[in-house]
Amino acid sequence: MDMMAFLGVGIVGMTLAVLLKQYKPEYAPIVSLGTGVVVLLGVASGLAPVFEELESLLNSAGLPMEYGAVLTKSLGICFLTQLAGDACRDAGQSAIASKVEMAGKVGVLTVSLPLFQRLLSMVTSLVGG
């Protein structure tokens, strides 16, 4: 999907959600969430060249692919958390949205924990401990 398609899907989804909010408010969050999922899937399908370039950069720097995997998983968690939090806010549930965002932060921390452990062991070996 190109940028114009994303904009079109977003505007159509927003228009439908606003119209449905007036007549059938229970369907507006579903349209909003569906629009977000469609845009997210479209963005995800165009990320293959980005991941190939990331792999190339990691290989040229001599770094293990583990770093790229952590970055990719963290970005996925961030995107999905943002989508879920926004959907909760659209439905008027800001308290649930904040909890979802907290869960996303914990998820990123959990995914990156092995990287922190490896970094700490490198620092310890350099210091001589």
Side-chain angles (χ1 to χ4, degrees):
M1 258 194 208
D2 63 340
M3 185 54 70
M4 294 304 288
F6 292 133
L7 295 174
V9 168
I11 290 172
V12 168
M14 179 265 316
T15 304
L16 284 174
V18 168
L19 288 173
L20 283 173
K21 196 174 228 178
Q22 293 175 356
Y23 300 107
K24 294 279 188 178
E26 62 272 10
Y27 293 128
I30 296 170
V31 170
S32 178
L33 183 61
T35 302
V37 167
V38 168
V39 171
L40 185 64
L41 289 175
V43 169
S45 69
L47 285 178
V50 174
F51 292 130
E52 290 170 4
E53 184 64 26
L54 177 64
E55 182 179 358
S56 172
L57 289 171
L58 288 172
N59 286 336
S60 67
L63 296 172
M65 283 306 298
E66 172 185 324
Y67 298 152
V70 168
L71 177 64
T72 303
K73 289 176 184 177
S74 296
L75 284 173
I77 290 170
C78 290
F79 286 140
L80 293 174
T81 300
Q82 184 72 41
L83 178 67
D86 289 343
C88 291
R89 274 191 205 80
D90 286 346
Q93 300 297 322
S94 60
I96 295 173
S98 66
K99 304 314 181 276
V100 166
E101 289 171 350
M102 183 183 64
K105 292 171 187 174
V106 170
V108 168
L109 181 62
T110 303
V111 165
S112 60
L113 194 57
L115 190 60
F116 288 130
Q117 290 171 337
R118 188 168 183 171
L119 181 64
L120 183 62
S121 69
M122 288 172 60
V123 169
T124 306
S125 68
L126 287 174
V127 172

